[in-house]
């Protein structure tokens, strides 16, 4: 249901974790990159929703990875249940029955409400709280102008199945005007490539 990104600094970490049931596929893809699940040291969740946070607890049980979430999504991950969502498209009425809504609840290891430095992981960049898609949405901004923005933007249609590299508005946000303002902020930071939760990347 959603993208998972491996960042290979001096210590490998993930941006998002995937949905429940995706573990075998994730393990296989990591192996292609010569990374074992047990090597992971951090999982950054761009949001606390089930399609991004669904495997976080399982990965932590199989590794020493710490789970990092935004303060605003703390209740969601502790309950293991998506909160209220507000649709921006009629498509949500079709997709809602298929979108993962629950996952194995967990207590995160790192909760942030201000910027988090990634230098200790051998990567130049930071994790920036940008509430909008969810109350705890995060953006991972690398110094090389690659930005991992989760569901701030969607890629294409039908979960990225069509026109994946064409930027679109996501089908729901808790605060749509704030999310649009976040897009403006990220553009002002001179981001060049946006890696998305679904579809993408887009420029």
């Amino acid at each position: 249901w959603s993208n998972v990104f491996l960042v290979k600094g001096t210590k490998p970490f993930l941006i998002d974790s995937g949905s429940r049931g995706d573990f075998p596929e994730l393990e296989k893809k990591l192996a292609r990159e010569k990374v074992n699940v047990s090597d992971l040291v951090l999982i950054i969740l761009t949001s606390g929703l089930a399609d991004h946070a669904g495997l976080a607890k399982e990965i932590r049980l199989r590794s020493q990875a710490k789970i990092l979430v935004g303060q605003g999504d703390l209740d969601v991950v502790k309950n293991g249940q998506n909160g209220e969502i507000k649709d921006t498209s009629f498509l949500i009425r079709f997709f809602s029955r298929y979108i993962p809504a629950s996952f194995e609840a967990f207590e995160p290891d790192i909760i942030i409400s201000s910027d988090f430095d990634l230098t200790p992981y051998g990567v130049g960049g930071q994790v920036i709280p940008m509430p909008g898609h969810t109350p705890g949405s995060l953006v991972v901004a690398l110094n090389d102008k690659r930005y991992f923005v989760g569901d701030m933007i969607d890629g294409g249609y039908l979960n990225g199945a069509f026109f994946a590299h064409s930027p679109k508005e996501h089908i729901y946000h808790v605060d749509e005007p704030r999310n649009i303002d976040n897009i403006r902020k990220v553009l002002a930071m001179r981001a060049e490539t946006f890696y998305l939760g679904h579809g993408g990347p887009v420029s």
Side-chain angles (χ1 to χ4, degrees):
W1 259 98
S2 65
N3 295 327
V4 177
F5 297 99
L6 169 67
V7 181
K8 296 165 78 173
T10 53
K11 302 173 182 178
F13 62 88
L14 296 183
I15 300 173
D16 289 327
S17 72
S19 304
R20 293 175 75 176
D22 288 346
F23 187 82
E25 185 70 12
L26 176 61
E27 190 172 39
K28 183 170 66 175
K29 296 283 178 69
L30 288 173
R32 287 184 192 169
E33 296 296 323
K34 299 184 175 11
V35 174
N36 295 318
V37 172
S38 59
D39 298 330
L40 299 169
V41 297
L42 182 68
I43 307 163
I44 300 168
L45 299 178
T46 60
S47 79
L49 300 180
D51 56 335
H52 297 264
L55 286 179
K57 184 174 182 179
E58 184 171 358
I59 294 168
R60 183 170 64 182
L61 289 172
R62 296 168 183 257
S63 69
Q64 299 299 310
K66 296 186 181 302
I67 305 171
L68 183 152
V69 303
Q71 176 74 48
D73 285 349
L74 181 57
D75 287 344
V76 174
V77 299
K78 288 173 73 172
N79 293 328
Q81 187 72 36
N82 286 356
E84 180 185 1
I85 56 176
K86 299 175 184 177
D87 63 289
T88 60
S89 165
F90 72 93
L91 289 173
I92 190 65
R93 293 163 206 154
F94 171 78
F95 273 122
S96 59
R97 72 187 78 177
Y98 304 108
I99 294 173
S102 63
F103 55 98
E104 197 170 358
F106 58 86
E107 186 81 39
D109 303 285
I110 305 169
I111 304 159
I112 68 168
S113 56
S114 59
D115 294 359
F116 180 87
D117 183 21
L118 291 172
T119 304
Y121 301 91
V123 175
Q126 56 191 336
V127 185
I128 306 171
M130 284 198 172
H133 176 63
T134 67
S137 290
L138 302 175
V139 167
V140 180
L142 301 187
N143 293 349
D144 62 7
K145 299 186 179 179
R146 289 181 295 165
Y147 279 51
F148 299 79
V149 299
D151 289 350
M152 179 187 291
I153 304 169
D154 239 356
Y157 299 94
L158 297 179
N159 218 40
F162 301 97
F163 306 107
H165 305 293
S166 176
K168 305 291 178 193
E169 184 171 35
H170 195 69
I171 57 177
Y172 61 85
H173 299 294
V174 296
D175 189 337
E176 185 180 6
R178 192 169 186 182
N179 187 72
I180 291 171
D181 189 50
N182 287 339
I183 295 171
R184 293 191 181 104
K185 287 178 181 176
V186 172
L187 288 169
M189 293 174 188
R190 306 196 175 208
E192 292 183 356
T193 308
F194 296 80
Y195 292 89
L196 315 179
H198 310 273
V202 300
S203 60

